[in-house]
Amino acid sequence: MFKNGYSQVDTISDKDKYTSINKYFTKKFTIFPLVFFTIGTILLFSNKTRLFGYYLVSVSSIVFYFSNYYKLPTDSQIDLWLFNKIEKINLISLDQFSFTENDLIRKSIKIKGPIWWEIKRKSLSFEKNGFYCREGKKEDFIDCGEKVNDRILRFSHYNVHIFHFTEHFLLCYSCTLDFLTGNTYNVQTDEYYYKDIVSASHITESTYYPDINNPIESKIFNRVEEFKLTTSGGSNVKILLKAKELEESFNGRVKIDDIEDKIKAIRGVLRLKKA
C-alpha cells in the first residue's frame, strides 16, 4: 500500500480492465430503455395491456442497467488503474538506459499531464481533438496548496515523464500513454549532467497551441501551467500540467499530483549535485 492509498495489486484481467476503462470514457447515456419503461408503465394501468406493460418495464429496466451501469468503474477505480499503469511504466523505463536500479540515489519521480492537442481528430466522432475527457463527482482535494471541492477531470491520454537520479546524471523517460489500451508510444529518453541543468520550474504562461475546437488553427491560451526543466544548452523538458481553457471547456479541474513537492525534490538533488 502506498502513501496515497493505492495498491499495486489488480484482481481484474487486463482485457476486462481496458473494456471497463473504455466504457468509463465513451459511455453515452442510453435513453431508449427509459422511453420503453415509460410506455410500459402507462400500459400497466390497463387490464388488457398490463401483462405486456409488465414485460416491457422489466426488460427495459434490465437493458438500462446493463447499458449504463454494468461494469462501469468508479472514479477511484480509474485513479487506481492509472496509478498502477504509471508504476509499471516506471519499472520498465530504466531498461531504456545503461543503468540499473542499484545505480539510483533516490526514488524516481513521476509527473503526468493530460494530452489536449497532440491526438489527431477522428472522423464522425464525438472526441475533441482525438481524446476523451470525463468529469468525476465533486470531491475535496488540494489545488496549488488550497483545499477545494470540485469535479476532477480524467483523460484517456496522458504524457508521462519519469525522472531517475544517478550519481552523475538525471535520466528523463518520456512517453504518451493511451489509457484506453494501456499502450505507450512517442517514447523519448534523455540523459543530463546535473551541472548542465539550469532550472526546474513550475510556470504559468500564455502560449500558442492548436485550437481545441479547430486543431488546424493555432491560438494563444492563457494561464497554462507547465513543469519546465531547462539546460544551459537551451534544451528543455516541458510538461503540460493544466490549462484554464481546458478546465473551463469540460467544467472541472485538473488535479496536479503533489507537483510542488516533486519540484522541490528535483531542486534538492540539483542543489546537492551542483554545490
Side-chain angles (χ1 to χ4, degrees), residues 71-103:
K71 289 188 176 181
L72 184 66
T74 63
D75 295 336
S76 59
Q77 185 68 69
I78 288 294
D79 291 339
L80 167 64
W81 286 340
L82 177 60
F83 173 83
N84 286 343
K85 181 59 185 179
I86 293 177
E87 286 297 314
K88 290 180 180 177
I89 294 174
N90 177 50
L91 291 176
I92 66 173
S93 63
L94 201 57
D95 294 337
Q96 304 295 315
F97 301 94
S98 57
F99 295 91
T100 66
E101 193 170 357
N102 293 330
D103 296 315

Side-chain angles (χ1 to χ4, degrees), residues 23-58:
K23 189 170 185 178
Y24 176 88
F25 283 106
T26 64
K27 179 186 77 69
K28 297 177 177 63
F29 191 77
T30 309
I31 193 67
F32 292 108
L34 286 181
V35 174
F36 289 117
F37 179 87
T38 303
I39 295 173
T41 301
I42 296 174
L43 295 178
L44 290 176
F45 290 96
S46 172
N47 290 331
K48 294 182 179 180
T49 59
R50 182 170 298 165
L51 182 61
F52 180 70
Y54 171 77
Y55 283 119
L56 201 58
V57 167
S58 300

Side-chain angles (χ1 to χ4, degrees), residues 83-250:
F83 173 83
N84 286 343
K85 181 59 185 179
I86 293 177
E87 286 297 314
K88 290 180 180 177
I89 294 174
N90 177 50
L91 291 176
I92 66 173
S93 63
L94 201 57
D95 294 337
Q96 304 295 315
F97 301 94
S98 57
F99 295 91
T100 66
E101 193 170 357
N102 293 330
D103 296 315
L104 303 184
I105 60 174
R106 62 150 289 140
K107 186 177 180 180
S108 301
I109 292 178
K110 300 167 282 291
I111 301 177
K112 73 177 188 298
I115 291 285
W116 184 10
W117 28 68
E118 282 93 346
I119 304 296
K120 292 182 180 178
R121 181 187 295 275
K122 294 183 178 179
S123 60
L124 302 177
S125 171
F126 290 100
E127 297 177 64
K128 277 193 174 183
N129 207 13
F131 69 90
Y132 289 103
C133 176
R134 181 182 171 95
E135 58 182 63
K137 297 178 181 179
K138 283 193 173 184
E139 58 183 276
D140 292 331
F141 62 98
I142 302 298
D143 182 48
C144 297
E146 177 185 358
K147 184 177 180 181
V148 296
N149 180 270
D150 210 339
R151 302 182 187 278
I152 295 179
L153 300 178
R154 294 169 174 86
F155 297 85
S156 62
H157 292 74
Y158 288 92
N159 279 323
V160 178
H161 300 259
I162 300 175
F163 297 94
H164 301 292
F165 303 85
T166 70
E167 188 63 37
H168 302 290
F169 295 96
L170 172 61
L171 314 177
C172 178
Y173 173 95
S174 306
C175 71
T176 298
L177 169 62
D178 180 350
F179 194 35
L180 299 176
T181 63
N183 295 329
T184 57
Y185 51 96
N186 295 339
V187 174
Q188 180 175 334
T189 57
D190 296 287
E191 298 182 13
Y192 301 102
Y193 283 107
Y194 291 117
K195 62 182 179 64
D196 292 333
I197 300 175
V198 176
S199 65
S201 310
H202 177 192
I203 60 176
T204 300
E205 63 178 4
S206 299
T207 185
Y208 280 96
Y209 282 107
D211 190 335
I212 188 171
N213 295 310
N214 185 11
I216 298 177
E217 302 292 333
S218 292
K219 62 177 285 190
I220 191 166
F221 289 92
N222 299 308
R223 294 173 292 177
V224 177
E225 292 190 38
E226 298 172 323
F227 168 77
K228 190 173 182 180
L229 188 76
T230 307
T231 70
S232 57
S235 61
N236 62 72
V237 176
K238 191 160 65 171
I239 307 170
L240 166 73
L241 300 174
K242 60 192 297 186
K244 199 62 179 177
E245 282 88 350
L246 174 63
E247 296 179 316
E248 291 174 348
S249 176
F250 290 103

